[in-house]
Amino acid sequence: MTALFDLTGKRALVTGSSRGIGYALARGLAEAGADVVLNGRDRQALEQAATRLAATVGRPVDAILFDVTDSRAVETAAQSLGRVDILVNNTGVQHREPMLDVSAENFRRVVDTNLTSAFLVGRAFAAGMVQRGYGKIVNVCSVQSWLARPGIAAYAASKGGLAMLTKGMCAEWASRGVTVNGLAPGYVVTELTRPLVDNPEFDAWIRGRTPAGRWAHVEDLVGTLVWLCAPASDFVNGQVVAVDGGLTAVI
């Protein structure tokens, strides 16, 4: 059974992984044996994260600086890295504002960061996967891939699109040995969600709305990610798996 979840010898790129969910996912892959490459746009934060993770897992961790929304930078990164067996499209941004007030610029920024980037990075690295006949891609979606709330229309639209992009990637690349699935977290305690966690009214609403009665922690996502990247899930394709404490299972 252990071999089904062993990622030894696999090279994994996790975008947006210098902190938060991305760093936790990268750490999980590294602890499962993968050779991890971190990504971000802040050189200092990225280098610090790579140093910290290398000390944790006891072996070198690579890092590559590029903007996932820049198609030329993405193509250059793909050429520079060469073989990548596992790609986790994690980079994302939130924008909270009533839809009547959201500017076209901010809407495009959210969609470009959360959705277009997954298309650009996925396409760039899938080319090598298709050629080699093997690859694992995991797009980090959200419960907002299916559910909407006031004030986050751009985010929900981008994550809904990401769920369908996941299925489209599966439709095109599954026959070439590439599995593409989505990981959809519920509400997770991170630096970005801290204002919501610290809001007593919102905190009580999340705990009451979630059957598990709590927020997710970044560590709650790791097991599902490792499964989706490991041989254990070789016949799982085009699926979006919610890790949400039951939030999307109830009304």
Side-chain angles (χ1 to χ4, degrees), residues 48-69:
Q48 289 175 348
T51 299
R52 186 167 70 254
L53 183 54
T56 299
V57 298
R59 62 180 189 278
V61 172
D62 292 329
I64 184 166
L65 189 79
F66 70 92
D67 182 346
V68 295
T69 67

Side-chain angles (χ1 to χ4, degrees), residues 13-164:
L13 168 65
V14 183
T15 67
S17 48
S18 60
R19 62 176 182 172
I21 290 175
Y23 181 83
L25 297 180
R27 175 175 174 170
L29 294 179
E31 291 176 339
D35 298 318
V36 170
V37 182
L38 303 183
N39 158 260
R41 294 189 301 174
D42 182 327
R43 184 179 300 277
Q44 182 177 4
L46 190 59
E47 291 176 350
Q48 289 175 348
T51 299
R52 186 167 70 254
L53 183 54
T56 299
V57 298
R59 62 180 189 278
V61 172
D62 292 329
I64 184 166
L65 189 79
F66 70 92
D67 182 346
V68 295
T69 67
D70 183 333
S71 59
R72 291 185 179 180
V74 169
E75 291 294 339
T76 298
Q79 293 173 9
S80 173
L81 285 177
R83 180 181 64 86
V84 168
D85 306 296
I86 297 166
L87 168 64
V88 181
N89 282 313
N90 167 74
T91 301
V93 66
Q94 177 63 282
H95 183 83
R96 296 183 177 91
E97 188 176 21
M99 200 187 318
L100 291 177
D101 300 324
V102 176
S103 67
E105 179 183 5
N106 277 328
F107 189 89
R108 292 191 189 99
R109 177 178 63 88
V110 172
V111 171
D112 283 349
T113 304
N114 297 355
L115 176 58
T116 307
S117 69
F119 162 72
L120 294 174
V121 180
R123 182 180 62 175
F125 286 94
M129 294 177 179
V130 165
Q131 187 177 40
R132 292 186 296 272
Y134 177 85
K136 296 271 189 173
I137 298 176
V138 178
N139 297 321
V140 178
C141 299
S142 167
V143 293
Q144 266 80 47
S145 294
W146 308 290
L147 306 174
R149 287 186 56 251
I152 59 168
Y155 183 84
S158 69
K159 292 297 186 177
L162 186 57
M164 287 309 301

Side-chain angles (χ1 to χ4, degrees), residues 158-243:
S158 69
K159 292 297 186 177
L162 186 57
M164 287 309 301
L165 179 65
T166 299
K167 295 179 183 294
M169 288 176 167
C170 164
E172 298 223 3
W173 303 329
S175 65
R176 308 297 296 274
V178 181
T179 65
V180 188
N181 292 290
L183 172 65
Y187 283 84
V188 185
V189 178
T190 67
E191 180 181 331
L192 295 179
T193 61
R194 177 51 61 183
L196 299 178
V197 177
D198 292 339
N199 181 318
E201 183 178 357
F202 194 86
D203 176 60
W205 181 78
I206 286 295
R207 293 177 184 276
R209 178 69 178 79
T210 305
R214 66 173 177 87
W215 290 70
H217 301 290
V218 291
E219 294 78 14
D220 291 319
L221 309 176
V222 172
T224 303
L225 177 74
V226 171
W227 169 62
L228 290 173
C229 294
S233 64
D234 278 352
F235 204 59
V236 179
N237 218 331
Q239 305 304 305
V240 180
V241 182
V243 183

